[in-house]
Amino acid sequence: MTGARFEGAGERLGSAPRDVLEALLASVADAVYVVDAAGRVEFANPAALDLLGYTEEELLGRDSHATIHHHRWDGTPFPEHECPLLAPRATGETVRVDDDAFWRRDGSRFRVAYSSAPLATRGGRGAVVVFRDVTRRAEAEEAQRREAVERARAEEIHASRARIVAAADAERRRLVRDLHDGAQQRLVRILLSLRLAANEATRAAGGRAEHGDAAGGDAATDAGGEQLRELLDEAASDTQAAIAELRDLGSGLHPQILTNRGVAAAVESMTAPLPLLVTREIPERRWPATVEAAAYFTIAEALTNVVKHAGASAASVRVVDDDGGRLTVEVADDGRGGADVTRGSGLAGLRDRVAALDGTLEVESADGAGTRLRATIPLPAS
Ligand SMILES: Nc1ncnc2c1ncn2[C@@H]1O[C@H](COP(=O)(O)OP(=O)(O)OP(=O)(O)O)[C@@H](O)[C@H]1O
Ligand SMILES: [Mg+2]
């Protein structure tokens, strides 16, 4: 730093001897420069020269805005009349800016925080600018912001998956209720009417026989009555079959027994008709509806797979509520093994359903060693 260059600023920076000020400005970590009334760099301390990449000879006397502040961080031009750094020359007020860009000699940029204060120089009011490279701080802040946005997005996706599963379960329960209270009830009433009509037809035919009508020889009426009864019986058994089909459809969607009595009862009624031995160990307890649905559908899919693919002689179902806030559902068979989540949609769908509740699905299934499927589902704190 040369004494001559320093003179303009030094005279105004206080009454301390110039060499003290010089020493001070040379040693402070903050970068400092002074512009004169015309906005030209009149003084720059070593920290400023270092950050900007200039020698003193290169920088002094240059138009400060055009040299180090010509563009904003986003690359758009920075008109000099909008420059806050130079404003104190006109306003006499100090300006502080937290995040802006300065441009180095080599054309690269860095983020700066600065204050610019009015300073009387020989040619009129100039400004003294103190600045710091805040690139690292700004980058850290930006990374933090990005992380927070990412986290919020991941949380939202996660929450929306859980909501979708819960909504789908609720919708299945509603459909089952509608089927039961609507079509099924109506079919039951039709069935009753058909039974009554068949009985009437039988009675009418019997009555005629008793009154000796048959002797009168109206064989055609008798045959018609018999035919009518057969038709009514047939219609009744078709209706009965339709009721059974509706019931099966409903229980595939969401078994009423699961809603009414929970997992243990629902699994018991599911395993009864299966063509293999299934041992069950399931506590008679109730859990939240989404957890029960996940447990039930895990067991249903696993047992369907055992019947379809395993060639097993026995299977076991175990549900453990370890009171540690999670439910473990395990289905094992002694069949051929080789289950693969990526091959069908059953196991993959289960994995998604369980994951939506924050749980995990593991499949152990070495060739020839049977299959063990384990779902672990966290239980809500309440
Ligand atoms: N218990 C099991 N024993 C042997 N192989 C199994 C068993 N469970 C599943 N697999 C194998 O893993 C594959 C994937 O099972 P997944 O349930 O995903 O599909 P899927 O049963 O074939 O069809 P979907 O369930 O969609 O009707 C099956 O095709 C079958 O080859
Ligand atoms: Mg399957």
Side-chain angles (χ1 to χ4, degrees), residues 38-266:
R40 281 189 301 266
V41 181
E42 196 179 271
F43 162 77
N45 79 346
L49 294 169
D50 195 39
L51 275 178
L52 294 167
Y54 288 91
T55 64
E56 202 172 41
E57 288 67 36
E58 286 166 339
L59 190 62
L60 298 192
R62 299 220 355 205
D63 179 323
S64 69
H65 188 82
T67 307
I68 64 172
H69 202 211
H70 41 81
H71 284 77
R72 299 179 201 272
W73 182 260
D74 64 10
T76 55
F78 204 150
E80 187 166 329
H81 65 269
E82 289 176 17
C83 176
L85 274 171
L86 298 176
R89 293 175 313 163
T91 63
E93 306 278 335
T94 297
V95 173
R96 286 195 175 76
V97 174
D98 263 352
D99 192 6
D100 201 345
F102 275 1
W103 297 79
R104 297 193 189 89
R105 184 174 185 278
D106 65 7
S108 63
R109 64 190 174 164
F110 59 101
R111 287 185 186 271
V112 283
Y114 56 74
S115 66
S116 177
L119 179 77
T121 62
R122 262 174 312 194
R125 189 151 60 197
V128 56
V129 177
V130 180
F131 66 98
R132 251 175 319 129
D133 180 347
V134 294
T135 306
R136 221 181 283 168
R137 185 194 77 192
E139 278 172 1
E141 279 170 5
E142 228 164 64
Q144 252 172 11
R145 244 193 324 271
R146 266 199 307 272
E147 239 169 67
V149 168
E150 275 305 309
R151 206 172 324 119
R153 192 174 298 153
E155 277 166 11
E156 176 46 29
I157 288 172
H158 183 260
S160 76
R161 274 204 307 178
R163 281 200 301 274
I164 288 167
V165 168
D169 281 345
E171 189 57 16
R172 280 161 172 257
R173 284 197 297 275
R174 192 188 63 75
L175 270 174
V176 171
R177 236 183 1 258
D178 287 357
L179 277 179
H180 177 263
D181 299 348
Q184 214 171 327
Q185 297 294 359
R186 189 177 291 258
L187 283 172
V188 168
R189 285 199 301 278
I190 293 171
L191 180 62
L192 288 176
S193 305
L194 289 170
R195 290 248 165 86
L196 280 175
N199 285 345
E200 277 306 309
T202 309
R203 220 180 19 231
R208 273 196 309 278
E210 253 169 46
H211 289 96
D213 290 359
D218 197 349
T221 312
D222 277 358
E226 179 65 17
Q227 212 174 5
L228 176 63
R229 214 183 46 90
E230 273 173 21
L231 278 174
L232 287 169
D233 280 345
E234 210 174 300
S237 66
D238 274 354
T239 308
Q240 181 104 54
I243 292 171
E245 271 175 29
L246 266 188
R247 197 179 45 231
D248 288 351
L249 178 65
S251 81
L253 280 171
H254 194 103
Q256 198 92 48
I257 188 170
L258 177 62
T259 313
N260 295 342
R261 293 178 47 212
V263 178

Side-chain angles (χ1 to χ4, degrees), residues 301-312 331-350 363-367 370-373:
E301 173 60 27
L303 289 177
T304 306
N305 279 351
V306 174
V307 174
K308 263 166 60 178
H309 309 297
V331 180
D333 68 60
D334 62 358
R336 67 174 63 92
D340 180 355
V341 182
T342 60
R343 269 219 303 276
S345 60
L347 292 176
L350 266 193
V363 181
E364 284 168 31
S365 187
D367 276 339
T371 298
R372 181 178 299 274
L373 195 114

